[in-house]
């Protein structure tokens, strides 16, 4: 197959949801349809359940699972499907945001009974920032939920995106039988409960097919037909260009648990979801068809085995063909690197790959050279615009509990923060290390990993700062004065950019007024601009 066809047949996407909406179940069902796994239950939820917040082994186990399910690739109908997994727990939301930089589209799962939830809103905000095409899957239709028309209105209002139904449910809750594809005029009905994937749904031609009455009760059918009429009157038809630009989300209904409505989602997804798209960098726009390789690291994962400190850096290929053992240019270090055992993640197995194409994600073994956001090219210097880091809202000082292990602690803290687990700030005098995160759970993960992977012992003292803000200015004198006066509330990040720890919104307002030449940034995106 030629290079362009390889690109065109790729679909790289993420499934995102508020925890418990059914992301894991849907992922698993897509893998089952794609023959990537043979039995249900093979993909474990990588969410860290509420009950196990302080269960370190659980965290470790979860981390292990999330390595193997970081990317799940399979072939379906001639298409190469790459599903990028995202952590469900909100304390790891930054990981999810970063993963969203590496996808071309997303499927957003919503629970029909819960509607739009907190995480759904935030994830959608990130998609809007990047104009990522979004499809919505309304899950758990086998349960009583919000009335479909009300739910569509809620989705539109809360997610700030236009929606249009692509499929429509036949019944709901206990009467849910299947879905109608408004665009190919096929009604798929499941005969019975807990129907296996091997048993295809029964298809009918259009809503008026008389045979439908054999499987669907008359009153359910009547309501369904009325609703479809209403849908056709109320909604503008699906527009591929509006979807591709991130303005319109087609909505699918179904039950991931019962395999109902999932195939309609998958087949439509393969048909309409974008193949690898052009990607913006600080320097220029990269087109996937370009001959030369470009790619960026969006995730780094430590090896679970404490005897092997290697890490896996996940690279999204943006253009060109990646080849094993070829030298590539690591733009941050300006060094040439080659990779003898890059891995792909076909069918949930790690395999060494000889070549990979735009849209693919490959795992590169790394002994500590990579940072999140690093770029590989064939010589050009490029900076991909990622999702910016958000200003951390929880700040804690690291206390070393074993003076013989100071070096290990330093190294561990640096490497873990390179992985994007948290952000590190250094405060003078005394090289005090302050770690900033968006969630409590990260501190448990860091403490555990420092001890088990680096042999370093530490604890954290809470600091009563409200948030950390990056400072930029052209007025050196004013910055010096600020740093002097506020010495207990300033530090430097790893790139030596000054950071202000604001005690409150009020103190931040005062700082902004008193030092007008300083700019206080809430996100790190100023770094690439
Ligand atoms: P998540 O990854 O988004 O967090 O959700 P997950 O797939 O783990 O699903 C959360 C719960 O919802 C699971 O039940 C799952 O079985 C259930 N579920 C998923 N899809 C459907 C559906 O279409 N209909 C119904 N009725 N339930 C669905 P659980 O009891 O929390 O876990 P488990 O013991 O079943 O694994």
């Amino acid at each position: 197959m030629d290079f362009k066809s390889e690109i065109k047949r790729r679909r790289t996407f993420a499934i995102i949801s508020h925890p418990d909406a059914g992301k894991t179940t849907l992922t698993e069902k897509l893998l089952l349809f794609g023959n990537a796994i043979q039995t249900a239950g093979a993909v474990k939820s990588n969410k860290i359940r509420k009950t196990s917040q302080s269960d370190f082994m659980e965290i470790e186990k979860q981390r292990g699972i999330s390595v193997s399910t970081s990317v799940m690739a399979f072939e379906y109908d001639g298409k190469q499907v790459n599903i990028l997994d995202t952590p469900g727990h909100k304390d790891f939301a930054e990981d999810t945001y970063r993963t969203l930089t590496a996808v071309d589209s997303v499927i957003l799962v919503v629970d029909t009974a819960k509607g739009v939830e907190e995480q759904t809103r935030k994830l959608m905000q990130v998609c809007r920032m990047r104009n990522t095409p979004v499809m919505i899957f309304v899950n758990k239709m086998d349960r009583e939920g919000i009335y479909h028309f009300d739910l569509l209105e809620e989705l539109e209002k809360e997610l700030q995106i236009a929606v249009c139904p692509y499929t429509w449910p036949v019944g709901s809750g206990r009467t849910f039988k299947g879905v109608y594809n408004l665009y190919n005029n096929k009604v798929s009905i499941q005969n019975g409960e807990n129907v296996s994937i091997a048993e295809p749904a029964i298809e009918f031609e259009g809503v008026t097919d008389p045979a439908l009455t054999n499987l669907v009760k008359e009153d359910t059918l009547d309501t369904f037909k009325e609703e479809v009429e209403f849908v056709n009157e109320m909604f503008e038809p699906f527009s591929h260009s509006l979807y591709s630009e991130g303005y319109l989300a087609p909505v699918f209904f179904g039950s991931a648990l019962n395999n109902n409505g999932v195939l309609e989602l998958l087949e439509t997804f393969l048909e309409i979801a974008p193949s690898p798209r052009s990607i913006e960098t600080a320097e220029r726009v990269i087109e996937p068809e370009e001959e030369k390789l470009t790619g960026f690291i969006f995730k780094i994962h430590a090896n679970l085995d404490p005897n092997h400190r290697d890490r896996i850096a996940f690279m999204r290929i943006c253009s060109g063909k990646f080849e094993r053992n070829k030298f590539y240019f690591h733009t941050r270090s300006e060094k040439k690197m080659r990779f003898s055992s890059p891995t792909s993640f076909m069918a949930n197995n790690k395999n060494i790959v000889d070549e990979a194409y735009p849209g693919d994600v490959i795992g590169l073994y790394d002994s500590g050279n990579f940072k999140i956001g690093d770029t590989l090219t064939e010589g050009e210097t490029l900076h991909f615009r990622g999702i910016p880091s958000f200003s951390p809202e929880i700040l804690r000082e690291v206390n070393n509990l074993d003076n013989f292990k100071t070096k290990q602690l330093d190294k561990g803290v640096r490497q873990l923060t390179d992985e994007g687990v948290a952000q590190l700030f250094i405060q003078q005098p005394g090289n005090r290390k302050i770690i900033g995160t968006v969630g409590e759970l990260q501190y448990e993960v860091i403490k555990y990993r420092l001890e088990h992977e680096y042999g370093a012992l530490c604890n954290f003292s809470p600091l009563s700062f409200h948030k950390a803000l990056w400072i930029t200015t052209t007025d050196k004198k004013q910055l010096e004065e600020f740093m002097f006066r506020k010495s207990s509330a300033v530090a430097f990040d790893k790139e030596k950019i000054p950071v202000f720890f604001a005690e409150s919104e009020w103190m931040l307002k005062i700082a902004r007024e008193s030092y007008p030449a300083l700019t206080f940034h809430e996100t790190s995106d100023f770094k690439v601009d």
Side-chain angles (χ1 to χ4, degrees):
M1 195 177 296
D2 65 38
F3 178 56
K4 280 195 180 151
S5 312
E6 283 289 2
I7 301 173
K8 276 226 139 40
R9 74 186 195 95
R10 278 166 164 74
R11 300 285 181 276
T12 303
F13 72 109
I15 303 178
I16 54 177
S17 75
H18 188 88
D20 273 347
K23 178 173 76 78
T24 312
T25 313
L26 179 64
T27 308
E28 185 167 275
K29 293 305 160 82
L30 295 180
L31 294 173
L32 280 166
F33 277 116
N35 271 326
I37 53 172
Q38 267 61 50
T39 50
V43 179
K44 295 285 177 304
S45 165
N46 78 352
K47 66 190 165 188
I48 294 168
R49 290 180 189 273
K50 293 168 208 86
T51 48
S52 59
Q53 284 221 348
S54 53
D55 180 345
F56 302 126
M57 278 326 290
E58 192 56 27
I59 293 173
E60 276 303 278
K61 256 197 290 176
Q62 301 289 1
R63 286 204 318 109
I65 290 159
S66 65
V67 171
S68 58
T69 62
S70 283
V71 187
M72 291 159 282
F74 64 92
E75 297 243 350
Y76 188 91
D77 206 11
K79 303 276 189 325
Q80 159 95 23
V81 183
N82 297 320
I83 308 180
L84 273 53
D85 196 25
T86 55
H89 198 286
K90 76 170 175 27
D91 286 6
F92 295 97
E94 292 248 328
D95 281 7
T96 302
Y97 301 156
R98 274 195 294 267
T99 299
L100 293 182
T101 63
V103 301
D104 298 303
S105 70
V106 307
I107 294 179
L108 176 69
V109 184
V110 175
D111 180 332
T112 181
K114 305 248 176 79
V116 175
E117 298 175 84
E118 188 199 341
Q119 280 293 99
T120 335
R121 232 174 258 121
K122 286 207 182 126
L123 290 162
M124 194 55 213
Q125 193 186 342
V126 175
C127 292
R128 277 201 313 271
M129 277 163 79
R130 304 177 60 81
N131 296 330
T132 309
V134 176
M135 276 184 183
I136 299 174
F137 183 70
V138 177
N139 190 29
K140 308 197 187 180
M141 286 305 295
D142 56 306
R143 288 198 184 157
E144 298 305 324
I146 304 168
Y147 184 46
H148 329 322
F149 288 101
D150 294 340
L151 183 62
L152 290 170
E153 206 178 309
E154 178 178 326
L155 290 171
E156 200 155 75
K157 204 165 120 217
E158 297 276 332
L159 301 178
Q160 295 170 39
I161 188 165
V163 299
C164 78
Y166 204 101
T167 64
W168 195 258
V170 182
S172 65
R174 260 169 296 144
T175 62
F176 178 58
K177 297 295 280 180
V179 295
Y180 167 53
N181 184 327
L182 292 146
Y183 290 85
N184 68 8
N185 202 28
K186 294 231 158 58
V187 186
S188 307
I189 298 293
Q190 244 182 26
N191 193 11
E193 280 175 14
N194 296 324
V195 177
S196 90
I197 273 188
E199 208 175 307
I202 302 168
E203 259 190 17
F204 298 88
E205 283 300 325
V207 298
T208 50
D209 192 327
L212 268 169
T213 46
N214 299 336
L215 291 178
V216 186
K217 278 200 185 128
E218 205 177 317
D219 52 345
T220 306
L221 204 54
D222 288 345
T223 314
F224 158 70
K225 284 186 198 163
E226 268 171 36
E227 287 172 348
V228 169
E229 258 179 49
F230 205 42
V231 166
N232 287 329
E233 279 167 28
M234 252 178 80
F235 291 90
E236 289 287 320
F238 172 72
S239 148
H240 193 261
S241 59
L242 288 178
Y243 159 68
S244 307
E245 288 157 23
Y247 296 119
L248 177 73
V251 180
F252 298 78
F253 292 86
S255 164
L257 194 66
N258 300 318
N259 312 321
N260 210 341
V262 177
L263 199 57
E264 286 71 16
L265 172 78
L266 174 63
E267 292 188 341
T268 312
F269 170 81
L270 294 177
E271 194 184 313
I272 67 173
S275 52
R277 309 201 300 161
S278 52
I279 297 187
E280 234 181 88
T281 70
E283 288 79 9
R284 66 183 184 87
V285 173
I286 308 285
E287 299 298 337
E289 295 82 12
E290 287 177 26
E291 235 171 72
K292 291 196 170 152
L293 178 103
T294 63
F296 66 92
I297 306 294
F298 64 95
K299 173 173 179 154
I300 295 178
H301 224 298
N303 196 326
L304 277 186
D305 179 353
N307 298 321
H308 297 94
R309 198 79 60 65
D310 290 2
R311 307 184 296 177
I312 301 179
F314 292 83
M315 181 168 84
R316 148 90 196 210
I317 298 172
C318 302
S319 67
K321 185 161 92 175
F322 175 90
E323 287 171 65
R324 186 157 83 97
N325 280 326
K326 184 169 168 178
F327 276 102
Y328 292 111
F329 180 64
H330 180 236
T331 58
R332 187 171 50 81
S333 67
E334 300 186 342
K335 276 190 194 141
K336 285 194 169 165
M337 289 181 173
R338 67 174 177 166
F339 305 91
S340 58
S341 42
T343 48
S344 74
F345 303 87
M346 276 307 276
N348 220 3
N349 282 323
K350 282 196 282 166
N351 295 315
I352 292 189
V353 277
D354 289 318
E355 50 188 46
Y357 293 89
D360 285 344
V361 170
I362 52 171
L364 304 174
Y365 283 97
D366 170 41
S367 50
N369 295 314
F370 283 123
K371 274 190 189 182
I372 299 278
D374 277 1
T375 305
L376 286 185
T377 68
E378 294 194 25
E380 189 178 358
T381 298
L382 290 174
H383 298 87
F384 285 90
R385 289 168 194 269
I387 288 290
S389 300
F390 292 92
S391 62
E393 293 180 6
I394 308 176
L395 293 150
R396 291 190 185 153
E397 182 174 352
V398 184
N399 303 310
N400 185 2
L401 298 182
D402 180 352
N403 285 332
F404 292 107
K405 296 283 169 65
T406 307
K407 265 196 184 157
Q408 283 87 335
L409 182 74
D410 279 0
K411 186 172 174 189
V413 166
R414 278 196 179 271
Q415 288 201 342
L416 294 188
T417 48
D418 280 353
E419 277 177 34
V421 175
Q423 297 184 48
L424 173 66
F425 306 106
I426 306 285
Q427 194 176 46
Q428 302 301 350
N431 267 331
R432 292 170 68 198
K433 285 185 205 53
I434 293 168
I435 286 186
T437 68
V438 289
E440 291 280 337
L441 205 52
Q442 259 93 337
Y443 292 100
E444 293 185 30
V445 174
I446 294 168
K447 186 165 178 276
Y448 180 86
R449 290 189 56 193
L450 283 172
E451 188 178 335
H452 288 82
E453 291 169 33
Y454 298 86
L457 291 177
C458 74
N459 64 18
F460 298 100
S461 333
L463 299 172
S464 59
F465 296 120
H466 167 66
K467 63 168 83 147
L469 301 111
W470 289 270
I471 313 171
T472 55
T473 184
T474 47
D475 188 338
K476 235 176 130 189
K477 221 166 140 225
Q478 199 169 88
L479 179 63
E480 272 168 19
E481 188 192 320
F482 181 79
M483 298 297 275
F484 176 73
R485 286 185 182 244
K486 288 273 178 194
S487 61
S488 61
V490 288
F492 288 91
D493 77 359
K494 288 207 289 194
E495 288 151 54
K496 306 231 164 30
I497 297 170
V499 172
F500 172 44
F501 300 140
E503 293 92 337
S504 60
E505 280 302 316
W506 173 251
M507 293 306 279
L508 176 59
K509 187 167 168 268
I510 304 240
R512 282 190 165 127
E513 281 167 12
S514 315
Y515 297 89
L518 307 187
T519 311
F520 298 93
H521 303 267
E522 308 227 358
T523 59
S524 65
D525 50 357
F526 67 91
K527 291 184 186 176
V528 287
D529 288 331

